[in-house]
Amino acid sequence: MTTTPSATSGIADDSAELLPIATGARTRAALRTLIRPDRGRAVLGLGVLVGATAVGLLVQPLLGRIVDIVADGRPADALTLPVVLLLVVAVVQGVTTTLGLTQVARLGETVLARLREQFIERALQLPADRLERAGAGDLTARITGDVARVAEAVRSALPEMARSVLAIVLTLGAMALLDVRFLLAALLAVPVQALTARWYVRRAVTVYADQRVANGAQQQQLLETIGGAVTVRGHRLEEQHTEKSAARSRRAVELTMRSVHLVLGFYARLHIAEYIGLAAVLVTGFFLVRDGSVSIGTATAAALYFHSLFGPVNAALVLLDDAQSAAAGLARLVGVTDLKESAVRLPHQRTPSAAAVTVDAVSHAYGPGRTVLHEVSLTLRAGEHVALVGTSGAGKSTLARLVAGVQQPTGGTVSVAEGKTVPSVVLVTQEVHVFTGTLAEDLRLARPDATDSDLRTALATVHALEWAEALPEGLATVVGEGGHRLDPARAQQLALARLVLADPPVAVLDEATAEAGSAGARTLERSAEAALAGRTALVVAHRLTQAVAADRIVVLEAGRVVESGTHDELRTADGPYAALWHAWSGSRAAPHL
């Protein structure tokens, strides 16, 4: 049986082996790889934004021209042309900015979707024991909080950052065209802004990375405490777990407050830079106008240019806040998508063999000192049905998961005979998930190209067609969360129907009839028997009636095979199976094995 941390262990342990976090260099490389297929859209969006920003820079010279006209006392009709041009600039800039930002937004959403797909694909391949070492909270925090922060950055920060940077560069160039001395005056603010950015980034990287980890640990503690609430109450550990949850929450709040103080200091320094720059430009304009080097309108345009930089510069620097947070989240996502193949679930070894499955000296441990299986060897012949029997904790579920390829053994090998059917092994457990959607869509997860006739045949095979067609809309009935509720027995029949549709040569059933209760047990056993017909099967027996019907029974005890044979052979052998059988047959209610 797969072991999991107990509710009394604290769960969100500081010693948990968290999933990896990518380095900055690796994160940037991964981002370039994600963008590469859409380079054309990136170039188009950037080009349109450059044009929009350049057009917008005509506003300040036009306003300066108006100032000169008024200062020179020229007639009012001289204002007509610059005013009309201001209207044209506004319209053109608005249209081109919209087009450019649309292209950038589409690029961001495409890249984000690609990242999500890679993350889900890799996360689904992670071995269960690797996830147990990291804790469910770590993975959950990444797929929720980290994805949300990256998505927010893509939808708002990325377009705004692109536009701000372009505005800064082109505006500084325009000031140089007016008079290079205006540019030099404006650049007096740069040292303060650069030091501010450096001061902020050096602190923000650590704070936001620690904040993500703390949030993951907090979520893990809450998940484990709530999930093990019955055990916590049974052992009177409420205060202990409440304190652990409070400690995790305090750590998360502490880091949040540190980030708030960091942002406040960031803004204060930016205001100082703005004051220095604007004062320098105004003083420079005063002396240049007094010397006759430039007109009042030109000095006005220069001041307006610098003032127009307040928004883009502040936006660009403020967006460092979102950028650092998103970068920390992106590094955590890339850390999972970039896992080496050796760290994720690998397919079975495929060997030409008469045996359907060969388990050779397999051992498995969930960590130091937590060995569950000890050099187990087992051969399943083609078409043979083998039942795994043993007390709770004997290692039955672990062996089933290794045969199914859900986990990798820490020692030994699991080999599956070569065949054309894909997937070669399908696992059905007692924990069945009914996906949200129509019943037909839920079934087609196993075979997307299945026709309605195929679906009905599969349901009929597992004796589920009658109730399926009796649903309000038949196969079109929405099931899962928010839809028509299926009881545990029907949900399990749905899983068995998916097994029939997938049509694997080897099937593994891990207590697949356990959730039905005594009333529905016989029905589910008939469904399972029909679904396994013609296949090689390894069945973790929840009730000994399943073992009786098997071709062979393998008894596990403390992670070792202690008996193997038919029901009649083992019943008369006076061994562990005989003891189980006598205990079971002497009671109306079979004990959970």
Side-chain angles (χ1 to χ4, degrees):
M1 184 175 183
T2 302
T3 58
T4 56
S6 69
T8 61
S9 64
I11 308 304
D13 192 353
D14 287 328
S15 63
E17 185 184 337
L18 298 180
L19 294 168
I21 299 176
T23 63
R26 180 55 206 147
T27 302
R28 290 189 293 272
L31 188 59
R32 287 193 295 271
T33 301
L34 289 168
I35 294 175
R36 188 171 295 124
D38 295 284
R39 284 175 296 183
R41 176 172 289 168
V43 171
L44 175 62
L46 182 62
V48 175
L49 282 179
V50 168
T53 305
V55 170
L57 292 177
L58 296 174
V59 170
Q60 288 82 357
L62 289 172
L63 291 174
R65 179 60 178 166
I66 292 174
V67 169
D68 283 337
I69 291 173
V70 173
D72 294 341
R74 298 175 61 184
D77 58 2
L79 296 173
T80 303
L81 180 59
V83 170
V84 171
L85 289 177
L86 282 173
L87 293 175
V88 172
V89 166
V91 172
V92 173
Q93 185 185 24
V95 172
T96 53
T97 298
T98 299
L99 292 175
L101 291 178
T102 299
Q103 291 299 319
V104 173
R106 286 179 177 174
L107 171 66
E109 291 293 342
T110 302
V111 170
L112 180 62
R114 196 171 292 132
L115 176 64
R116 278 190 179 127
E117 291 168 1
Q118 291 181 5
F119 182 90
I120 293 297
E121 179 183 4
R122 189 66 77 186
L124 290 175
Q125 293 175 334
L126 288 173
D129 51 343
R130 181 67 182 88
L131 288 177
E132 286 180 358
R133 292 198 303 272
D138 186 31
L139 187 63
T140 302
R142 296 186 191 220
I143 196 60
T144 54
D146 291 323
V147 167
R149 288 188 177 275
V150 173
E152 183 180 356
V154 164
R155 291 169 184 150
S156 58
L158 178 62
E160 186 63 29
M161 177 68 85
R163 187 170 62 169
S164 297
V165 170
L166 287 173
I168 293 169
V169 172
L170 294 179
T171 300
L172 291 175
M175 292 184 72
L177 290 176
L178 292 178
D179 192 297
V180 72
R181 286 168 287 188
F182 285 125
L183 174 61
L184 295 176
L187 292 179
L188 290 177
V190 172
V192 179
Q193 293 167 337
L195 290 174
T196 298
R198 184 185 178 199
W199 173 85
Y200 177 77
V201 169
R202 290 177 63 181
R203 289 162 176 77
V205 170
T206 302
V207 169
Y208 284 116
D210 290 346
Q211 193 176 7
R212 298 276 70 74
V213 172
N215 288 339
Q218 178 193 31
Q219 196 163 14
Q220 173 70 14
Q221 182 67 53
L222 292 174
L223 286 172
E224 296 289 355
T225 298
I226 294 172
V230 175
T231 304
V232 170
R233 288 195 296 268
H235 289 273
R236 300 293 188 269
L237 296 171
E238 294 92 340
E239 290 187 10
Q240 178 183 343
H241 276 257
T242 299
E243 178 54 34
K244 287 179 178 178
S245 297
R248 301 287 178 183
S249 297
R250 284 194 296 271
R251 175 61 176 164
V253 170
E254 176 190 342
L255 288 168
T256 299
M257 293 308 300
R258 283 178 57 188
S259 68
V260 169
H261 287 300
L262 195 64
V263 171
L264 291 176
F266 178 70
Y267 278 117
R269 287 165 172 80
L270 285 185
H271 293 325
I272 294 173
E274 290 173 356
Y275 174 80
I276 293 173
L278 184 57
V281 170
L282 289 174
V283 170
T284 301
F286 170 77
F287 284 109
L288 291 178
V289 171
R290 190 184 67 175
D291 295 342
S293 300
V294 298
S295 67
I296 296 176
T298 301
T300 301
L304 290 174
Y305 269 138
F306 187 82
H307 190 275
S308 71
L309 285 175
F310 284 10
V313 169
N314 286 349
L317 293 177
V318 168
L319 286 174
L320 286 173
D321 183 58
D322 293 333
Q324 292 303 315
S325 182
L330 183 61
R332 283 162 56 82
L333 295 176
V334 173
V336 174
T337 62
D338 205 37
L339 278 172
K340 296 180 180 179
E341 290 295 327
S342 59
V344 299
R345 178 171 58 86
L346 299 177
H348 293 92
Q349 295 187 23
R350 304 298 295 273
T351 58
S353 172
V357 178
T358 302
V359 178
D360 185 16
V362 161
S363 298
H364 190 74
Y366 289 98
R370 298 172 59 193
T371 302
V372 180
L373 296 177
H374 305 270
E375 296 188 353
V376 172
S377 294
L378 175 66
T379 299
L380 276 69
R381 296 182 294 274
E384 183 182 26
H385 290 187
V386 174
L388 281 180
V389 172
T391 56
S392 180
K396 305 185 299 296
S397 292
T398 298
L399 181 57
R401 291 161 75 88
L402 294 177
V403 170
V406 174
Q407 293 177 210
Q408 297 178 70
T410 51
T413 60
V414 177
S415 303
V416 179
E418 289 183 344
K420 296 181 180 180
T421 305
V422 176
S424 57
V425 184
V426 167
L427 170 68
V428 180
T429 71
Q430 62 179 313
E431 300 173 354
V432 176
H433 183 73
V434 179
F435 293 87
T436 301
T438 66
L439 182 64
E441 290 171 339
D442 208 303
L443 287 166
R444 286 194 175 98
L445 290 170
R447 200 205 313 167
D449 61 348
T451 64
D452 285 351
S453 177
D454 295 330
L455 303 185
R456 290 188 172 85
T457 299
L459 289 167
T461 300
V462 298
H463 312 291
L465 183 59
E466 183 177 350
W467 65 255
E469 291 188 328
L471 292 175
E473 297 180 56
L475 295 180
T477 301
V478 175
V479 294
E481 186 175 353
H484 186 89
R485 182 181 177 276
L486 299 182
D487 61 41
R490 290 183 174 181
Q492 198 64 256
Q493 284 182 308
L494 178 60
L496 292 171
R498 287 199 292 252
L499 170 65
V500 173
L501 286 167
D503 196 23
V506 180
V508 178
L509 269 57
D510 184 5
E511 299 188 348
T513 64
E515 293 297 318
S518 300
R522 185 54 194 152
T523 299
L524 267 188
E525 287 175 8
R526 288 175 54 238
S527 298
E529 183 179 350
L532 296 178
R535 311 181 202 284
T536 304
L538 180 66
V539 179
V540 177
H542 176 70
R543 293 177 175 82
L544 288 187
T545 50
Q546 295 172 289
V548 172
D551 299 318
R552 183 159 51 102
I553 299 168
V554 173
V555 182
L556 287 180
E557 195 171 275
R560 292 181 171 85
V561 175
V562 294
E563 280 189 307
S564 179
T566 65
H567 167 71
D568 290 335
E569 292 171 346
L570 298 182
R571 186 168 57 87
T572 59
D574 198 26
Y577 179 79
L580 287 171
W581 174 257
H582 290 314
W584 182 85
S585 59
S587 172
R588 287 188 177 185
H592 290 191
L593 301 175

